[in-house]
Structure formats: C-alpha cells, structure tokens
Amino acid sequence: MDAFEYRQGQLFCEDVPVADLAEEFGSPLWVYSAAKLRHEYGAIRDAFSEVDPVICYSVKANGNLSLLKLLNDEGCSFDIVSGGELYRVQQSGSATERVIFAGVGKTDAEIRFALEADILMFNVESEAELDAISAVAGSMSRVAPVALRLNPDIDARTHAKTTTGKKGNKFGMDIERHNELAAKVLGDANLELRGIHMHLGSPILTTDPYEAAAKKALEVVRDLRAKGHQTNWINLGGGFGLSYLGNEAPPYSEYARVILPCIRQAECRLALEPGRSICGNAGILVTRVIFTKREGGKLFVIQDGGMNDLVRPAMYDSFHRIWPVRPAVPPPDDYQQEIPGCEPADVVGPICESGDYLARNRWLPPVERGDLLSTFSAGAYGTVMSSHYNARPLGAEVLVEGDAYRLIRRRETYDDLIATERD
Ligand code: LLP
C-alpha cells in the first residue's frame, strides 16, 4: 500500500493534497498517513498470527503521542529504551503491561519507573544491570521479569552504525554465557527469567540473519530448559527492512517463514520490536525551496529542511527519495538512474556545515524558489533525531486520515528554543 501518491500532477497523502497542508501549517512539515500505520501493523501481526506474537512497536523510531495512541488502539504494544519513552507511552494513554524495556544503560530511576508501570519484561544487557534491577526490585519488594539479551554474533549486513548482533558491539551478553547468566537469575529471588532477546541490527534486507538467530534461540532455549530454567519467551527484536527505493524490502511473510518453525519447536511466546518498517513509509518531510544556485559546476537546491530535521543522509549516507510536490516531470520508477527532463542537484539545507544535505547528485526536475519538495520514507528516525542545531525550531507534524487531517505537534517558536534556559 502506498499512502503517498501523485494524482493529477500533485502529491496526495491519502485524500489530502500535501500542498494544502504546507499552505496551512508551513514547512518543514512532517506528514503521516494513519492508514499506512494501521496497514503495516496489521501486516506484521497477520504474518506471525499463527503464534499470537506480542508486537512491541519500537518507540525510538517515532514516539509522537498520536502515533502511539493509534497503534495502541490497534492492539500493538511498545518497545522502549528510556524512562522518557515509557512516559510517552503512558501519556499517549496506552497500556504498559506488555511494554518491553531494552537498552544498555538503564538507570535505577528508570528501572523503578518501569517496575511501577508493571512492564512485561526488561531486556537485560549486562551482569551489572541484572544486579541493579535485582537491587531496585528488592527495595520495592517486587520480583522483576527479565529476558537475557544475547549477542548471537550474526552479521546482519547493515550499516556499521546500526549493526548490533556482532561480537564486539556494545549490545547484549555473549551467547556462550547463557547458562551462567540464567543460573545467576535463578539464584536471585528478586528476578524471574522470562526468556531471551536478540536484536541484530537495522534495517535488515535479507531473511537469513533472522533464520540464523531463530535457530540459535531455539538451541539456547532447549539448553536452558534441560538445565531446569524457565524460558517461555523468544524476542527477536526489530530491524525488518523498509523499501526506501521501491520494493527492496521482503514482505513480513518471508521473515515469518524462517522464524516461525523455530518458535513452534521451542514452544515459546514470540515478541518482536519493529519500528522502522511500521512507520518509515507512513511519513514524509515536506520542505520549501528557498534558493537555487549554480556554483563550482553544480546545481544546489537550498531548502528550509536540513540535517537538523532529518539527519539520516548526513549520518548514514542513507538514500531518501526526493521529488517536488507539484512536479514538472512525473515521478520515475527508478530514482537512481538518469531521468529525462531532469538534472543532478545537491539538495541541501540552511545549516552551516558541508555535511548538511538530504541528497547529493540527485536527478530532479526543474525547481525554483518557493516550490515544495517531499522527502519520502521519513516517518522513522526523522523527527525523533531532529535537533535545534543552528537555533532552528522543530517543524510541525500532521496526521492524515482519509480526507481529514489534524496537527499532532505544533511548530516550535523562538520562545520554545530558550524556554528551559536560565540567566
Ligand atoms: N529493538 C532494539 C533493541 C533496537 O535497538 C532497535 C533499533 C529496534 C528494536 C527497532 O529497529 P527497527 O525495526 O526500527 O529497525 N537511527 C538509525 C536506526 C537505529 C536503530 C536503533 N535500534 C537509522 O536512522 O537508520
């Protein structure tokens, strides 16, 4: 399903012209499709339905309260990595009993907050964290539910900055130590072992890393059970691919095909933590061209959205499709090839850094001052990674549903920029 389509020469989100939204709310503007969010959540739930999984949407990908509420209403739960994300889940009015708390550096205050919220389990990433959770739980006369995050030493063949399941990454504990770690949990009256967790990286465009991880998880569960430990959950994390270019990501059914056999054999509950694949293609970033210029033999399109809004191209060299909202040339099937009627341009922002670009050498139709551009696949790791760099207020966010829409985060003002500072 494509929530963003060109009709009669202009871009629509569902049934709303994107240009109308930019007129009303200004730019840079994040536009999300409710139908696409529901569609993607439904697709992953259905692909794994045979084992009745707990799907924990990864709040880090996009934590806007309205998106969390929408997903909660669909029956989705949440994966969090901080007290702040737990607060967001609570403030969205969502349930917290099926929340899973990951992350390498949970503080005592965050552990206490999560225990008070009765979350489903902590994904524990070190022995020191086991000790800390035990101490906090003990002080509250509680038993903390934990899963061991194991590092399976699997290469997910993704970006170096987002691979997590290889030996030497900061995440999890070496898989060979599972018996020793489980024994430690068993010997601690303040802890209860619920299962094991692995997250391999993000985004993962092939299914074989998941197959390898599921097989390793099955072996570990068998081994732990043989030694008398309870392990009823396997959590295989998130990382499912997103089609940034076209159709390069496999459908959820292909991931399910390699994961489900192991879950059935293990007779475990399955938890998943998808983020990007649910919200990535449910959002775009709409910007306005401020100037164009030709210097150094190049065409620069300078627009009002930069690396402070969407940092992914600057940070990971990631590719986001960019096309005008009212284009002179219809959008191509392939954005990476030469496009007739177009010219290569660097699409840059107003930030004072040479690394401030959304695209380089990108084939674009003629654009001029005042034109609107859409950067696609911006729903995940977009707003959440935005910053105030160069004292730029954060953009507004709008959620579209059919032919209706509403503002779900107002544009920041200059006063917002200094609101927390003191003389
Ligand atoms: N679970 C854990 C333990 C994670 O560390 C992550 C992502 C997820 C789930 C969700 O992964 P997803 O399904 O969204 O791929 N900022 C980077 C991505 C960082 C991912 C961090 N962890 C980017 O923009 O590509």
Side-chain angles (χ1 to χ4, degrees):
M1 170 207 178
D2 199 350
F4 297 94
E5 277 177 344
Y6 285 89
R7 295 184 205 157
Q8 296 110 34
Q10 66 165 321
L11 182 64
F12 277 71
C13 174
E14 300 193 24
D15 295 326
V16 178
V18 167
D20 291 0
L21 297 173
E23 228 29 80
E24 183 167 347
F25 300 108
S27 58
L29 179 70
W30 305 87
V31 178
Y32 306 113
S33 154
K36 179 67 171 170
L37 287 164
R38 291 200 185 97
H39 175 85
E40 290 302 323
Y41 169 68
I44 188 165
R45 181 199 55 209
D46 293 350
F48 288 91
S49 63
E50 175 190 325
V51 298
D52 188 23
V54 169
I55 312 255
C56 296
Y57 167 72
S58 204
V59 174
K60 68 175 84 61
N62 190 324
N64 183 291
L65 298 180
S66 298
L67 269 51
L68 301 185
K69 181 172 184 334
L70 179 152
L71 289 168
N72 178 69
D73 289 347
E74 294 296 295
C76 187
S77 187
F78 302 101
D79 150 49
I80 58 163
V81 288
S82 68
E85 288 189 349
L86 179 54
Y87 183 72
R88 281 194 166 278
V89 171
Q90 284 183 334
Q91 292 302 306
S92 72
S94 300
T96 53
E97 303 84 55
R98 290 184 307 143
V99 161
I100 290 179
F101 191 173
V104 293
K106 305 174 187 78
T107 65
D108 286 4
E110 289 177 317
I111 293 167
R112 177 174 294 274
F113 183 19
L115 284 169
E116 282 164 358
D118 265 328
I119 65 162
L120 181 60
M121 61 188 122
F122 294 87
N123 291 336
V124 179
E125 308 230 9
S126 63
E127 272 191 77
E129 185 187 331
L130 278 177
D131 293 336
I133 294 178
S134 168
V136 176
S139 74
M140 297 167 71
S141 305
R142 296 280 296 269
V143 176
V146 299
L148 300 171
R149 177 167 184 178
L150 301 173
N151 183 327
D153 196 22
I154 290 172
D155 185 358
R157 296 188 302 278
T158 186
H159 194 280
K161 285 186 183 153
T162 55
T163 193
T164 54
K166 271 296 278 174
K167 228 182 197 112
N169 299 140
K170 72 172 177 179
F171 297 99
M173 300 174 278
D174 293 344
I175 193 161
E176 304 79 34
R177 298 182 58 218
H178 63 268
N179 281 320
E180 174 197 334
L181 295 164
K184 183 177 166 87
V185 176
L186 197 68
D188 190 327
N190 300 327
L191 301 176
E192 177 205 327
L193 184 62
R194 291 252 159 116
I196 57 170
H197 171 247
M198 296 177 190
H199 169 78
L200 306 174
S202 164
I204 305 173
L205 287 168
T206 50
T207 57
D208 48 307
Y210 287 94
E211 183 168 10
K215 285 184 174 153
K216 287 198 180 194
L218 174 61
E219 270 174 43
V220 169
V221 165
R222 283 187 168 151
D223 196 23
L224 290 176
R225 286 204 183 133
K227 297 200 168 57
H229 300 301
Q230 260 209 327
T231 28
N232 294 327
W233 287 85
I234 292 176
N235 178 345
L236 289 177
F240 304 100
L242 182 76
S243 292
Y244 283 98
L245 301 173
N247 280 314
E248 71 271 27
Y252 290 121
S253 54
E254 285 193 28
Y255 295 102
R257 193 170 49 78
V258 299
I259 291 172
L260 286 177
C262 293
I263 304 300
R264 266 188 249 113
Q265 287 175 59
E267 295 178 353
C268 275
R269 295 292 314 272
L270 173 67
L272 296 171
E273 303 169 345
R276 185 194 312 266
S277 59
I278 289 189
C279 61
N281 276 332
I284 58 170
L285 173 63
V286 183
T287 53
R288 201 176 279 279
V289 176
I290 306 175
F291 303 116
T292 61
K293 71 174 185 183
R294 287 175 200 277
E295 297 293 344
K298 267 186 159 180
L299 171 62
F300 291 92
V301 175
I302 304 164
Q303 34 125 52
D304 63 3
M307 67 188 289
N308 73 299
D309 299 294
L310 180 65
V311 75
R312 303 194 69 257
M315 194 155 173
Y316 314 114
D317 274 323
S318 53
F319 185 101
H320 288 257
R321 286 174 290 125
I322 298 180
W323 207 248
V325 166
R326 288 198 188 100
V329 174
D333 291 331
D334 184 346
Y335 284 75
Q336 292 178 303
Q337 298 290 323
E338 181 174 345
I339 304 167
C342 294
E343 183 183 346
D346 281 13
V347 182
V348 305
I351 300 284
C352 291
E353 295 222 16
S354 298
D356 175 30
Y357 57 86
L358 293 191
R360 277 185 159 159
N361 279 320
R362 185 64 63 82
W363 291 92
L364 276 185
V367 292
E368 53 187 46
R369 180 171 165 79
D371 284 355
L372 293 168
L373 298 179
S374 169
T375 299
F376 293 90
S377 310
Y381 304 109
T383 45
V384 284
M385 295 179 80
S386 298
S387 78
H388 289 122
Y389 190 35
N390 282 201
R392 287 170 48 80
L394 299 184
E397 294 177 273
V398 170
L399 181 63
V400 173
E401 226 171 330
D403 58 7
Y405 58 84
R406 65 196 164 86
L407 188 65
I408 57 170
R409 189 181 73 189
R410 68 162 171 81
R411 182 171 304 287
E412 283 187 347
T413 63
Y414 288 153
D415 281 341
D416 290 321
L417 290 179
I418 58 168
T420 52
E421 292 179 35
R422 297 288 175 267
D423 293 337

